Amino acid sequence: MAAPASAREAAYQTLWGRIVTMELKPGDPLNDRQLAEEMGISRTPVREALIMLNIAHMVTIKPQSGTYVAPMDLKLMRLEQFARFTLEKEMLTHVCKHCRPEHLAAYRANIQEYQAAGAAPNTPLKTSHMLEIDNRFHRLAFEFCGMEEHFDHMLSTFKHIERLRLFSLMLEENFSVPGQHGKIVDALEAGDPDALERALREHLTRYKVSVEAARKVHPDYFIEG
């Protein structure tokens, strides 16, 4: 019998969050009995959540061996980032044609918030908070176009690039984010769609630098699909 959807979804979200925040690292074993005890639920929703995570390539199920946190899949990251660039470019191009002072003010306030978060003392929630601010910056274009649901769906679907982005923040590889965001806003203010595309492409391909830095520290955390 399948577990109630609410329990299965809760288990899925909990495990996905622990994987993305690197509480559960690539290669870590996942014992459904232990996980169920930690979450205070039965084993059935945990098993079903692990199957869902396996389908999403976030965990690996090895017959006769066990279930493990999957490495970060670079092929899937590239696919997700290409799709993200294509969709976000369309939103920003529309904003560029109809940019208003309040749009620019919202973007610049977000950049200041990110800088302040980066300068704050380290806490267990610092990296997650910075990623949240970063995501709000990218969501703004969708909001201004009345299509914020598309961004939310994209973010909930693109699991692999979010996993890397949070990991790169932990390695302090995102010191350039405010400057790159600033270039995007400058292009919007200038009404220059070509400069806007260049700035967005530069920013969204920055993850390749993060990958190289991360692979030097943890080469076993990555695979090439």
Side-chain angles (χ1 to χ4, degrees), residues 91-154:
M91 297 296 105
L92 282 169
T93 299
H94 181 78
V95 174
C96 190
K97 294 177 181 177
H98 308 280
C99 193
R100 301 198 297 268
E102 55 266 33
H103 295 159
L104 298 172
Y107 276 118
R108 298 201 187 281
N110 178 278
I111 294 172
Q112 291 177 354
E113 185 181 2
Y114 188 97
Q115 290 172 320
N122 287 328
T123 68
L125 297 178
K126 178 176 178 177
T127 51
S128 297
H129 181 51
M130 291 178 70
L131 183 60
E132 177 193 349
I133 299 170
D134 189 353
N135 282 331
R136 280 196 268 115
F137 177 92
H138 292 279
R139 192 177 190 268
L140 285 172
F142 292 77
E143 290 178 9
F144 298 151
C145 295
M147 301 181 73
E148 55 268 31
E149 294 88 353
H150 289 269
F151 181 86
D152 296 340
H153 175 72
M154 178 179 71

Side-chain angles (χ1 to χ4, degrees), residues 11-12 38 73 80 92 103 125 129 134 141 157-158 167 169 197 202:
Y12 175 86
E38 291 174 0
D73 191 318
E80 289 181 355
L92 282 169
H103 295 159
L125 297 178
H129 181 51
D134 189 353
T157 304
F158 294 170
F167 184 48
L169 275 169
E197 180 175 348
E202 176 188 354

Side-chain angles (χ1 to χ4, degrees), residues 72-85:
M72 299 186 205
D73 191 318
L74 297 177
K75 180 180 179 180
L76 291 174
M77 286 181 189
R78 287 192 292 270
L79 290 172
E80 289 181 355
Q81 201 69 332
F82 175 77
R84 178 170 184 160
F85 170 78

